[in-house]
Amino acid sequence: MQQFHRLQRSAKRITLLLLLALAACGKASPEQAVRKQVEAMQAAIDARDAGDIEGLLADDFIGNDGMDRRAAKQLAAAVFLRHRDIGAKLGPVGVELRGQGEAVARFSVLATGGSGGLLPDTGQVYRVETGWRLVDGEWKLLSASWTPNL
């Protein structure tokens, strides 16, 4: 009987350790979380959803030439209206943490737009640097700068 209780206690300990390990695995590292937000931005572009793009931006977002959050959403909406087919293909994303709640992600992107033909009408490769801030447990895009690479 004593051996049964020891086995039962051991099984409970092992179960608790497994649950703790699974909980730790489920929580994404800051680098993974930023990469996930970059992917969410690409998905919003692919879905042509200016509202989803705006939802990923910090309230004090700043882009090229002083673009604010509202202007970024308007630019996205205008591009979506101009081009029936939009594409954004990302290169490898490098993430650099800066303190507890800030990060920088750098990557290249091939942006294409077209009218639905076999080949895009326009295309450009950009070098992109984005700044991210942790806001209420969610990474928000604080800044973005992009320069043509071709």
Side-chain angles (χ1 to χ4, degrees):
M1 186 67 142
Q2 201 175 31
Q3 189 176 12
F4 175 74
H5 288 297
R6 268 191 248 138
L7 284 173
Q8 193 175 25
R9 280 190 301 246
S10 293
K12 286 181 182 179
R13 286 184 190 134
I14 290 171
T15 302
L16 179 62
L17 288 173
L18 285 173
L19 289 173
L20 290 173
L22 286 173
C25 290
K27 183 173 167 107
S29 72
E31 293 94 346
Q32 291 169 324
V34 170
R35 280 187 175 83
K36 185 177 177 184
Q37 291 298 83
V38 171
E39 291 170 5
M41 183 66 71
Q42 179 182 3
I45 292 167
D46 290 344
R48 304 169 47 88
D49 193 326
D52 280 356
I53 291 171
E54 182 183 34
L56 293 165
L57 305 179
D59 290 340
D60 54 345
F61 169 81
I62 188 85
N64 281 9
D65 300 322
M67 177 186 303
D68 64 7
R69 186 173 195 242
R70 190 172 127 249
K73 180 182 177 184
Q74 290 173 339
L75 174 63
V79 169
F80 297 153
L81 285 173
R82 182 173 182 206
H83 298 285
R84 193 173 92 196
D85 293 318
I86 296 292
K89 304 297 181 226
L90 300 182
V93 178
V95 177
E96 174 187 334
L97 293 179
R98 295 191 174 170
Q100 291 286 17
E102 293 189 4
V104 173
R106 293 179 185 90
F107 51 91
S108 60
V109 63
L110 170 61
T112 60
S115 58
L118 189 57
L119 296 174
D121 296 334
T122 62
Q124 177 66 52
V125 176
Y126 294 93
R127 283 188 311 252
V128 181
E129 182 171 309
T130 57
W132 296 84
R133 179 191 305 140
L134 192 58
V135 178
D136 297 329
E138 185 177 8
W139 288 94
K140 295 287 188 171
L141 183 59
L142 178 63
S143 64
S145 62
W146 55 93
T147 56
N149 202 25
L150 291 179

